[in-house]
Amino acid sequence: MRYSFTIGALVSSVFATRPFLNEPDTGLLDKIGYNFPVGSLPELEDMVGLPDFEWAARNYLPIVNYTYYRNGAAGEWSYRNNLEVYQRYRFKPRMMVDISGIKSTLPTTILGHNFSAPFYISPCAKAAYGHPDAELNLVKGANAGGILYIPSRYSSLKMETIAEAAAPDQTLFAQLKLSNDDVASKKLFTRAEAAGYKAIVWTVDAPGGSSRQRAQRFDVGASDEFTVQTWDKLQQYRNWTSLPIGLKGIQSVADARLAVDHGVPFIILSNHGGRNLDGSPSPLEVALEIHETDPSIFQEIEVLADGGVRYGTDALKLLALGVKAVGIGRPFMFSNVYGQEGVEKVIDIMKTEIAGDAANIGVADLKSINPDYVKWQPNFWYT
Ligand SMILES: Cc1cc2nc3c(=O)[nH]c(=O)nc-3n(C[C@H](O)[C@H](O)[C@H](O)COP(=O)(O)O)c2cc1C
């Protein structure tokens, strides 16, 4: 009797629903108070981690604006998986390593351009939903922090206005989502080149419409256009610009290999932050599959990745597989409610976490991080 009760309790606890934590508790409300007024913004100094910025933005922004940023596709299972997948794999920390120089090893290059850290601001539309200065805070914050910013094709400000706000030596890539209208597309390439952008990021992960239910409720859903995106189109676009064209939204080893075969200079593993196809893999899963089945891709092409990166440890797991730099989307949009200072704070937090966590796993030089620092068998609880 007692035996079967114990077995029963064990079985039911194994199958109990695991709670999903959109923003893990960092003690923010313990500090600012559980009755902190809706519509108010906590002090910037109370933002100690990236998830705090989401709480602040949700509390402060009109619900429509917050929902546009927060939204995921359909049941949001891919959105949720993007966040949780990093916890499926544990580090294998090494001790007794001289890590005194780790901070000096954060700088990296992307397409030959120098940056102070291996992370960047992913292209996200409509920064004016977060702050009246919109993308200006992001471009200036990126410059102050020395990282890459990729403004979205659907930015609140024109691509020329954003480029004009950049520092003379600042590198920007332009993200383009191209329609079936070739005349309009060609103009975008010409404008991006004339404005001084150094590369084109062609987003290819949304050829169809997407079901964004949370956003649709507030009338800020996605477009339902069906777009032709093929390797032939890539060749056509190459004839229109001298800028390198990379592909954002690669989600399989097969397409990563095809990108290499087609001479694409860089790819971004991304499922659009779980906003387009529910059931699409997280970038970590795709990077792991590349590592297991066709690892030389990481040497043959620059591989970037974005989706769900909220901690230095998340970034380190992607870097360990061979990803060159990781993109961060929503946290930067949420940080924009504090203006440029908020953007800079996210950059500072990520640099501190990446350097500290790399040291804690025994990495002396960030360039030497490799798959051996992570146990790639998933933990049961997060499968
Ligand atoms: C509000 C919002 C708008 C976005 N707009 C674009 C866009 O215009 N073009 C694009 O390629 N990706 C866009 N993305 C996807 C991001 O570039 C990036 O892939 C994603 O945000 C990464 O996931 P994360 O938010 O979990 O960091 C958008 C994402 C968000 C949250």
Side-chain angles (χ1 to χ4, degrees), residues 68-71 79 82-83 122-126 152-155 175-177 201 203 205 212 248 268 270-275 306-310 327-331 333:
Y68 178 70
Y69 290 154
R70 159 63 180 79
N71 178 73
Y79 163 85
N82 278 3
L83 292 167
S122 287
C124 292
K126 299 189 186 179
S152 156
R153 155 82 181 92
Y154 299 110
S155 291
Q175 181 267 326
L176 298 183
K177 166 89 170 68
V201 175
T203 298
D205 59 16
R212 296 184 181 171
K248 175 172 183 281
I268 304 183
S270 172
N271 63 359
H272 217 103
R275 292 166 78 82
D306 73 22
V309 174
R310 302 291 181 268
I328 298 173
R330 292 180 184 83
M333 302 312 273

Side-chain angles (χ1 to χ4, degrees), residues 98-347:
D98 176 4
I99 45 68
S100 53
I102 184 65
K103 282 187 186 163
S104 70
T105 70
L106 258 56
T108 193
T109 59
I110 303 175
L111 274 194
H113 302 282
N114 292 312
F115 299 101
S116 69
F119 63 91
Y120 61 90
I121 305 181
S122 287
C124 292
K126 299 189 186 179
Y129 273 4
H131 192 281
D133 291 342
E135 286 80 15
L136 297 183
N137 298 322
L138 295 156
V139 68
K140 291 177 188 169
N143 182 56
I147 64 165
L148 171 66
Y149 174 35
I150 309 176
S152 156
R153 155 82 181 92
Y154 299 110
S155 291
S156 304
L157 298 173
K158 281 171 41 181
M159 66 166 93
E160 290 82 1
T161 312
I162 299 170
E164 277 160 22
D169 59 347
Q170 186 175 354
T171 299
L172 300 176
F173 294 176
Q175 181 267 326
L176 298 183
K177 166 89 170 68
L178 298 160
S179 71
N180 295 326
D181 179 346
D182 279 350
V183 177
S185 296
K186 198 169 182 182
K187 276 191 195 144
L188 288 173
F189 281 100
T190 310
R191 283 176 57 195
E193 201 162 337
Y197 288 86
K198 294 294 188 298
I200 301 294
V201 175
W202 179 23
T203 298
V204 293
D205 59 16
S210 71
S211 161
R212 296 184 181 171
Q213 297 170 4
R214 186 187 291 268
Q216 200 177 326
R217 194 176 305 289
F218 294 98
D219 212 14
V220 285
S223 120
D224 53 7
E225 193 183 46
F226 285 68
T227 321
V228 178
Q229 302 175 157
T230 60
W231 298 106
D232 286 345
K233 272 279 172 201
L234 172 65
Q235 192 45 50
Q236 180 186 336
Y237 296 153
R238 280 172 170 159
N239 295 332
W240 295 349
T241 182
S242 61
L243 296 178
I245 304 177
L247 300 179
K248 175 172 183 281
I250 295 298
Q251 298 170 66
S252 65
V253 184
D255 281 349
R257 173 47 64 194
L258 280 172
V260 175
D261 294 346
H262 284 86
V264 172
F266 68 99
I267 55 173
I268 304 183
L269 309 178
S270 172
N271 63 359
H272 217 103
R275 292 166 78 82
N276 282 339
L277 174 68
D278 211 7
S280 55
S282 80
L284 187 75
E285 289 165 317
V286 180
L288 184 54
E289 207 178 330
I290 294 177
H291 165 66
E292 287 170 347
T293 62
D294 198 353
S296 66
I297 287 175
F298 289 115
Q299 278 80 52
E300 294 175 73
I301 193 170
E302 290 200 9
V303 179
L304 314 181
D306 73 22
V309 174
R310 302 291 181 268
Y311 302 94
T313 48
D314 300 342
L316 288 171
K317 286 173 189 169
L318 285 165
L319 297 177
L321 287 168
V323 168
K324 189 111 199 261
V326 305
I328 298 173
R330 292 180 184 83
F332 276 116
M333 302 312 273
F334 295 138
S335 74
N336 193 26
V337 298
Y338 291 95
Q340 183 182 339
E341 268 188 284
V343 175
E344 287 182 37
K345 182 135 191 198
V346 167
I347 297 172

